[in-house]
Amino acid sequence: MRDTLVIHYDEIALKGRNRSAFEDHLVRGVQNITSDLGPVAVQKIYGRMLVRAKEADLGVSRLAARIALLPGVRYVLEGCETSQDLDAIFGAVEVALPPQEALRTFGVRAKRGDKSYPLRSSEIERRVGAHVLERRQWDVDLTNPDFWVRIEVVNGRGLVCTTRHEGPGGLPTGASGRGIVLLSGGIDSPVAAWMMMTRGLRLSGLHFHSAPYTNQRSQEKVRDLARHLVRFQSRFELTMIPFADPIQQAIVTLAPQKYRVILYRRFMLRLAARAAAAAKASCVVTGEALGQVASQTVENMATVEATSSLPVLRPLVGMGKASIIDVARRIGTFDTSIEPHDDCCSYLMPRSPATRSNPDELDEVERVFDVTALVEETWANRKSEVLRLADLR
Ligand code: ATP
Ligand code: MG
């Protein structure tokens, strides 16, 4: 009877004195990500967490699939708890074994969290393996068996597990504070968001749209991407910022064409700073990668970043498109990202954008604008929404 999940976490284990704060972030993450399924009990034990459904009809596999997406989780095992007594472990193993015909090979792995336990891990593996061989005519395969039996002896209990779900690893949500991600409808920014989420940031999203000059579908697409991101932090606040009027209007009428994209980006960052202050966030995350498009040169990044008092984190900066796409597929955002959409920046794109620039030059270009008034007016026109697990895609 599989009724228990064993969560193994990643770098939390390395955090010394902060360990318990990190574990608390993960406990909250587990409670939040399962909250719409039913109540669960989470228990911290040595180097692991145990999760159980409080209501019998809530299957642990559903819980495990959810929990395995959480930042900080290295892997989740489905199984059951027994005493640490070897006979009790044998009994649980027997119950967990599939019928003879279901498979051909098996392997046993044991971990002894408790070094005072009289048997070493290798000895537990040998004895459990022998016990299985008395009941099933399977071959032992310790590299890629049809079926793994995973035994853990920890804190006076035995855990007998069979199914393993891989997690993303990293740090649990909230352990590194809050950030604002600039979420376009493309491939890159959801990947950047996920990468920083797995470094412990709790993110809110900001999207700039050019309605009514671009169609409604492009905003719906960003909402779809945000619904994917909900799976990693349970709740995701998305703010839509109308960018066409007055900011893009002002840029298009008053500034030289070649600076348009840099100016758009500088205003985006100013609005991100505004959003960060409102959300108590301390950094901005973007999906920029060095040299990917004309606006993403080192010089332009510096010119854009000069408007920001907050650090701009660009987790994809050194990645090529193919590896970014691999991650997008893995986290499930790729198919949504490649749907056609109108981007606010392809509207009114210059024919030959500046690839070199510096902050002084742009400060000079911006003298014709009332920057503060443009930012404040635009910020006042924002629309925020909160996406929750019920909106999951
Ligand atoms: P993406 O796949 O994320 O759209 P991209 O290769 O199209 O990236 P750019 O359009 O130059 O690159 O954008 C670089 C980054 O700037 C994006 O990853 C995103 O973080 C931010 N960004 C661009 N456009 C928008 C927008 N309309 N709303 C919010 N953020 C944006
Ligand atoms: Mg884009």
Side-chain angles (χ1 to χ4, degrees):
M1 171 62 181
R2 282 177 300 175
D3 59 0
T4 304
L5 299 178
V6 187
I7 303 178
H8 281 256
Y9 31 82
D10 206 34
E11 295 167 46
I12 304 180
L14 308 175
K15 294 292 166 184
R17 281 193 302 147
N18 292 332
R19 178 167 172 156
S20 121
F22 279 67
E23 288 173 338
D24 291 342
H25 283 296
L26 188 56
V27 170
R28 269 194 296 279
V30 170
Q31 275 157 348
N32 292 338
I33 205 77
T34 54
S35 60
D36 64 321
L37 298 178
V40 299
V42 186
Q43 188 182 6
K44 297 198 252 177
I45 60 171
Y46 179 77
R48 297 156 177 76
M49 265 167 219
L50 299 184
V51 179
R52 283 191 195 85
K54 286 187 183 162
E55 286 161 7
D57 55 346
L58 173 55
V60 284
S61 298
R62 263 181 95 197
L63 289 176
R66 283 276 184 93
I67 293 170
L69 294 173
L70 277 182
V73 170
R74 200 145 73 82
Y75 60 92
V76 182
L77 301 177
E78 287 181 36
C80 68
E81 185 182 328
T82 68
S83 79
Q84 63 171 20
D85 180 67
L86 203 55
D87 285 330
I89 291 174
F90 284 167
V93 168
E94 280 170 34
V95 173
L97 289 181
Q100 169 69 37
E101 345 43 272
L103 36 108
R104 293 206 311 269
T105 58
F106 80 104
V108 182
R109 282 275 159 78
K111 268 185 200 280
R112 185 179 57 150
D114 184 348
K115 300 299 172 208
S116 65
Y117 192 68
L119 302 178
R120 290 161 163 275
S121 304
S122 54
E123 185 62 20
I124 302 173
E125 288 169 356
R126 247 178 18 81
R127 299 225 195 159
V128 172
H131 191 76
V132 172
L133 286 171
E134 282 168 19
R135 276 150 191 84
R136 298 286 187 274
Q137 283 82 55
W138 294 332
D139 292 328
V140 174
D141 174 355
L142 295 178
T143 48
N144 186 26
D146 298 338
F147 185 71
W148 275 119
V149 180
R150 301 171 199 276
I151 312 289
E152 307 204 350
V153 177
V154 53
N155 272 167
R157 56 189 106 213
L159 297 161
V160 175
C161 304
T162 50
T163 311
R164 172 174 163 140
H165 305 254
E166 295 305 313
L171 303 174
T173 307
S176 305
R178 292 171 186 268
I180 302 291
V181 59
L182 302 189
L183 205 56
S184 65
I187 295 168
D188 305 331
S189 46
V191 171
W194 178 81
M195 286 180 68
M196 296 321 297
M197 283 172 164
T198 63
R199 299 312 302 163
L201 282 180
R202 177 184 294 287
L203 295 181
S204 310
L206 214 55
H207 176 68
F208 300 89
H209 64 83
S210 301
Y213 306 99
T214 52
N215 67 30
Q216 199 57 34
R217 176 61 204 143
S218 49
Q219 283 180 66
E220 193 46 43
K221 180 181 176 184
V222 173
R223 213 168 268 128
D224 280 348
L225 290 170
R227 285 184 188 116
H228 279 285
L229 299 177
V230 166
R231 291 175 304 155
F232 312 121
Q233 60 176 32
S234 310
R235 178 184 189 281
F236 189 85
E237 182 167 359
L238 179 62
T239 300
M240 300 286 192
I241 310 249
F243 207 46
D245 191 22
I247 289 182
Q248 281 180 307
Q249 286 300 338
I251 292 173
V252 170
T253 12
L254 299 175
Q257 239 198 58
K258 66 172 183 171
Y259 292 126
R260 276 183 194 168
V261 178
I262 299 175
L263 289 166
Y264 296 163
R265 293 279 185 268
R266 281 168 62 103
F267 277 96
M268 285 184 189
L269 263 198
R270 292 183 175 112
L271 281 146
R274 199 73 179 66
K280 298 196 170 63
S282 50
C283 61
V284 179
V285 175
T286 77
E288 290 165 290
L290 187 59
Q292 195 189 82
V293 290
S295 57
Q296 296 175 22
T297 61
V298 173
E299 287 88 345
N300 286 348
M301 286 182 191
T303 304
V304 171
E305 194 165 336
T307 61
S308 174
S309 55
L310 299 175
V312 178
L313 306 183
R314 302 176 178 91
L316 313 186
V317 75
M319 287 172 75
K321 199 75 187 187
S323 350
I324 298 173
I325 289 175
D326 282 347
V327 183
R329 286 190 201 278
R330 194 144 52 79
I331 65 173
T333 53
F334 183 73
D335 290 342
T336 304
S337 288
I338 58 170
E339 289 170 17
H341 74 290
D342 300 334
D343 183 67
C344 77
C345 292
S346 38
Y347 157 76
L348 305 178
M349 253 315 249
R351 270 184 304 278
S352 58
T355 51
R356 293 179 160 269
S357 63
N358 68 65
D360 295 342
E361 185 185 351
L362 266 287
D363 287 343
E364 194 56 37
V365 172
E366 283 178 349
R367 281 161 64 111
V368 293
F369 304 124
D370 184 341
V371 169
T372 312
L374 287 171
V375 169
E376 286 311 310
E377 182 182 341
T378 301
W379 179 246
N381 291 334
R382 75 192 181 280
K383 287 210 163 51
S384 293
E385 55 198 288
V386 175
L387 299 158
R388 296 193 163 80
L389 291 167
D391 305 307
L392 267 183
R393 278 294 154 94

